[in-house]
Amino acid sequence: PGRLNVTDWIPGYGAPPHAKLRVPDWTMRLEHQHVSIAEALKEAGYKTAHVGKWHLIPRQQADLQEYFPEHHGFDINIGGNEWGIPGSYFHPYQKGERRVYPLPPGGKEGDYLTDRLTDEALKIIDRWAEEPFFLYFAYYTVHTLIEGKPEWVEEHEARVNPDAQHTNPVYAAMLHSLDESVARILEKLKELGIEDNTIIIMTGDNGGAAGLPWIDGEGAPTNNAPLRAGKGSVYEGGVRVPTLVCWPGVTSPGSVSSEPVMHIDYYPTILEMAGVEGNPEHNRSVDGVSLVPILGDPSRGLGREALFWHYPHYHGGGATPYGAIRAGDWRLVEFYEDNRVELYHLAEDIGETNDVAATGSLEHHARRSRP
């Protein structure tokens, strides 16, 4: 994001009244000089489809459809536009200006967005089963609004334990629909006989909204414990998400790698998986590394010294401008407003409760882990 200058979600919050720093100029779209995964794969003969959320231009510039998915290497765009949130998860998926488009004709009252997008994704897989294809399915689920199908809400209401960490049956219903969607895609690959020749990557973009008031007055729908805080914060609860990879013949079911990775790694990883060279000029400035070595052998490392975050913005989730470094088991955060630093040893303190920069206990940890 720092290299692309797309350093915040679009359009961002701007600077709040209490801000001590000005928000820098930044780019609110994906510029065409950058090469997307879809463009690299399309150049190599892949069919490419985007389904779901795009959210890569400001709402005030919806006329700039030249920056929509179909102009960044995707043959098909279903549901990808300027909005990062649907008007509703129920047909016609609109409230005021906020809507999901473009969508093929069809649908009726009561239809659920996750199901509808899955229907379209399955049609694409059916159509391209005999050809190499890249499907980028960017689910709106489980972003707010928190709306689930009534039958699943009712089922999960009966399961609520008020003493549990997770007590929101509507959020559980949304996850239920997400699980169903993934299952339907897996079943389609098996039905078509291409499951052994299809790589599946599933990940998220941020931690759950926890402990915060959100859109339309909703309370926090989830809990990231034992991680600290959630979406829009500087802590692990905001940036640490799971990544699942199924690569038949390469990944072993149930295997786990403890190597930290970032979304910047997907471009070189997917290209190597597909045997695609990509654009040489673009590749020279790629910051990510291929994850292929650890997918075949989770005990291996990537030999990368550190991961870096640069967020010169303010966020409704509580973040003020900051930078962060993850090196081995250590996570260092610098707050730009006052140059304060916090340091955590995640192997022993995944909840980031013990700031060793403040307590002076760094020497104890340094003897046990290389920073």
Side-chain angles (χ1 to χ4, degrees):
R3 188 181 294 279
L4 276 59
N5 202 39
V6 185
T7 48
D8 201 2
W9 71 280
I10 300 172
Y13 287 109
H18 64 271
K20 296 180 180 179
L21 299 174
R22 290 184 298 174
V23 173
D25 290 334
W26 57 288
T27 304
M28 296 192 195
R29 58 177 177 259
L30 180 59
E31 298 284 10
H32 290 299
Q33 70 262 30
H34 306 300
V35 181
S36 72
I37 296 172
E39 287 172 323
L41 293 179
K42 185 175 181 177
E43 179 70 21
Y46 276 72
K47 298 290 188 182
T48 56
H50 168 93
V51 177
K53 176 175 173 175
W54 182 246
H55 195 200
L56 273 172
I57 64 169
R59 295 190 293 271
Q60 300 88 339
Q61 299 179 25
D63 57 321
L64 295 181
Q65 295 193 12
E66 63 186 280
Y67 293 99
F68 275 19
E70 55 267 43
H71 300 291
H72 280 291
F74 289 98
D75 297 314
I76 295 174
N77 170 29
I78 295 175
N81 54 63
E82 73 274 22
W83 293 100
I85 176 174
S88 170
Y89 275 94
F90 294 95
H91 181 83
Y93 322 115
Q94 181 170 354
K95 180 179 181 180
E97 293 183 338
R98 201 167 66 206
R99 61 195 178 101
V100 177
Y101 76 95
L103 286 174
K108 62 185 184 306
E109 183 178 354
D111 285 351
Y112 193 64
L113 178 60
T114 307
D115 296 340
R116 174 66 194 279
L117 294 178
T118 306
D119 291 343
E120 300 300 332
L122 296 180
K123 292 175 186 176
I124 292 169
I125 296 172
D126 261 325
R127 190 184 321 162
W128 290 347
E130 302 299 321
E131 305 177 72
F133 69 86
F134 172 61
L135 170 64
Y136 173 49
F137 195 160
Y139 289 92
Y140 284 91
T141 308
V142 290
H143 198 289
T144 51
L145 308 162
I146 304 302
E147 295 179 336
K149 294 166 67 173
E151 59 267 34
W152 296 140
V153 173
E154 182 178 359
E155 176 175 316
H156 291 289
E157 280 178 339
R159 301 175 61 195
V160 170
N161 175 359
D163 297 324
Q165 289 181 351
H166 300 273
T167 58
N168 189 316
V170 187
Y171 190 78
M174 296 182 78
L175 285 168
H176 194 138
S177 292
L178 175 63
D179 287 347
E180 278 194 325
S181 172
V182 174
R184 291 175 64 197
I185 290 174
L186 297 178
E187 289 165 2
K188 174 59 69 174
L189 297 175
K190 185 175 182 179
E191 172 193 321
L192 295 171
I194 59 174
E195 75 274 23
D196 290 335
N197 193 33
T198 303
I199 298 167
I200 300 168
I201 301 173
M202 186 174 185
T203 189
D205 56 351
N206 52 253
L212 302 162
W214 283 96
I215 294 174
D216 294 342
E218 296 165 350
T222 189
N223 186 313
N224 299 309
L227 304 180
R228 179 175 175 178
K231 176 180 178 177
S233 79
V234 304
Y235 299 107
E236 289 284 276
V239 301
R240 186 185 184 115
V241 297
T243 293
L244 309 175
V245 180
C246 175
W247 185 359
V250 177
T251 54
S252 299
S255 59
V256 178
S257 170
S258 59
E259 185 77 11
V261 303
M262 293 184 84
H263 287 91
I264 56 174
D265 297 328
Y266 291 134
Y267 178 91
T269 300
I270 292 172
L271 264 60
E272 183 173 352
M273 287 172 158
V276 173
E277 180 180 349
N279 181 289
E281 181 179 356
H282 174 83
N283 292 350
R284 280 195 290 270
S285 62
V286 167
D287 296 291
V289 299
S290 174
L291 307 179
V292 167
I294 63 174
L295 294 176
D297 182 0
S299 66
R300 292 184 60 179
L302 294 172
R304 178 162 50 192
E305 183 178 7
L307 297 175
F308 303 90
W309 288 258
H310 174 61
Y311 187 71
H313 301 272
Y314 293 84
H315 193 282
T320 59
Y322 77 94
I325 299 173
R326 169 73 186 271
D329 291 330
W330 295 95
R331 187 162 189 271
L332 178 74
V333 183
E334 178 185 12
F335 297 87
Y336 297 154
E337 284 192 333
D338 56 8
N339 298 320
R340 176 173 52 90
V341 297
E342 295 179 4
L343 180 65
Y344 300 97
H345 190 265
L346 298 180
E348 296 183 1
D349 180 25
I350 196 172
E352 296 172 285
T353 60
N354 180 26
D355 174 13
V356 298
T359 62
S361 58
L362 175 60
E363 183 179 353
H364 160 73
H365 292 283
R367 290 195 299 266
R368 304 182 59 181
S369 175
R370 181 184 65 84

